[in-house]
Amino acid sequence: MDSVVIVGTQWGDEGKGKITDYYARRSDYIVRFQGGNNAGHTIEVGDEKFQLHLVPSGLLRENKKAVIGNGVVVDPKVLIDELKRLEKKDIDTSDLILSDRAHLIMPYHKVEDELYEKLKGNLKAGTTKKGIGPCYMDKAARYGIRVVDLYDPKSFKHKLEKIVPVKNKIFQSFDVDKRWDVDEILEEYLEYAERLEGYVQDVSVQLERALERDKNLLFEGAQGTHLDIDHGVYPYTTSSNTTAGNASIGSGIGPKNISSIIGIAKAYTSRVGTGPFPTELEGETGEYIRERGNEYGTTTGRPRRVGWLDLVMLRYSARVNSLTSLAVTCVDVLAGLDQIKVCTDYRLDGENKREFPADIESLYRCDPVYKKFEGWEEEEWSTIADKGYEALPENIEKYLEFIEKETGVPIKHVSIGPKRDQTLEK
Ligand code: GDP
Ligand code: IMO
Ligand code: MG
């Protein structure tokens, strides 16, 4: 029995979807445990490119259970549309399991997301505007609607009657020209209920049964460690715990069931949204990496900010997630650069800092201390993928060895292209 957690070690978009799909070959259950359709996970299979937002990446492999855990916030319309799109591409969606305890994104959450971002001014995180934050707000305030509520219309209506007037008052007081009607929401959501009914189960019970039958579980994190609401660059984070500990809470299995934790790191750093970014690259090199890495948001299409690899960030991620190995992705993207830099420490007020500061104002003032590496050439990456890890050019090996030494975490996977078969295992 093997239970593996995959998490992002940076600010999201590290290639979690691609590595989850790779690992899913040897897993039976692939579980999303947090976030919602703010995520965008890309998997390229042959000539087909899949961009998944809510459905676990495991659904693309045959005979795997794809599980949406209680910790996920679910926009039912988005889920239904995503399933439809997959079915059109002949993907069997019958193996999906949706937690009865997952919270639902309601239409007013998306409007609140826009409103709160506007009100926050320079404190805004630059959210995906999918209603993620407001849905988690209502969950914490115990004002949320859960999947299970869809199947008890009387209680669902009762809850809406309590919540909707509050939301309408908020919109009214901030001059937002939107009001909701309980019956309209009820009608819309009861239709979704009908469509989703076959998938709804108690995920904790299902996973326990799977463990009893020695099935392999794979937990697919969304976002990244530095977007974690506790451990990230608060307030420029998302609204959930993106770190490994939440795999347990967001699915309903105890922590002792988890056997390994893989951190996904890009060979450089990228970021969508606002907030400090010590190794950010502006100018030609940044542009080169953005274009080669196609660094445009999977969910919003926004150009991603890019920068050098930051080992202060990675060491932090190794600690807060208890990483047992790293998967380094997009190594091919850096090809063609004469020199590649890696940030080892921050320089703040005349001192070298090894640890990531909690306060954002200090982080803005941190200057990266770099170690320089010789670059590598463009290669036939598919040929290297066929030959295996040993075929990697020497300069890449040196770069990877340094990452291992500095983080204290072994690198077990290296990704050298977006395609399913472009992953090397050490
Ligand atoms: P996720 O959110 O962590 O799953 O990552 P995204 O899918 O949002 O973004 C990663 C992007 O990099 C996607 O376009 C992937 O197809 C692509 N990608 C993943 N691994 C590699 C790699 O090793 N090389 C290149 N060139 N692209 C990669
Ligand atoms: P994946 O799973 C990158 C960022 C947003 C914003 C902040 C808060 O594809 O790696 P939210 O909508 O969550 O309230 O936005 O978090 N963000 C992501 N950035 N990848 C993601 O997911 C992200 N999900 C949220 O850009 O800065
Ligand atoms: Mg993404």
Side-chain angles (χ1 to χ4, degrees), residues 12-16 38-42 298-299 304:
D13 304 327
E14 298 92 344
K16 297 176 294 294
N38 48 350
H41 295 182
T42 317
T298 312
T299 299
R304 295 180 187 143

Side-chain angles (χ1 to χ4, degrees), residues 274-292:
T274 52
F277 185 165
T279 64
E280 184 161 15
L281 277 167
E282 274 146 10
E284 235 174 73
T285 310
E287 205 49 46
Y288 182 83
I289 295 174
R290 183 173 308 110
E291 291 314 309
R292 277 185 63 89

Side-chain angles (χ1 to χ4, degrees), residues 314-323 355-356 409:
L314 240 56
R315 286 193 299 263
Y316 183 99
S317 299
R319 187 180 66 246
V320 301
N321 291 296
S322 301
L323 297 183
E355 302 301 339
F356 206 81
V409 184

Side-chain angles (χ1 to χ4, degrees), residues 108-166:
Y108 42 79
H109 287 144
K110 281 169 267 188
V111 182
E112 283 183 282
D113 201 347
E114 296 230 12
L115 170 65
Y116 300 146
E117 281 280 276
K118 210 169 87 193
L119 295 174
K120 279 182 182 169
N122 67 357
L123 290 178
K124 73 171 186 201
T127 72
T128 58
K129 305 221 170 87
K130 306 290 184 194
I132 307 294
C135 185
Y136 279 118
M137 276 165 70
D138 279 358
K139 174 177 176 176
R142 286 149 289 137
Y143 247 149
I145 305 283
R146 300 188 300 169
V147 168
V148 68
D149 294 320
L150 294 174
Y151 303 98
D152 183 350
K154 216 170 129 205
S155 139
F156 184 18
K157 184 169 183 181
H158 177 66
K159 287 182 180 170
L160 285 175
E161 280 165 349
K162 299 284 171 206
I163 302 161
V164 170
V166 176

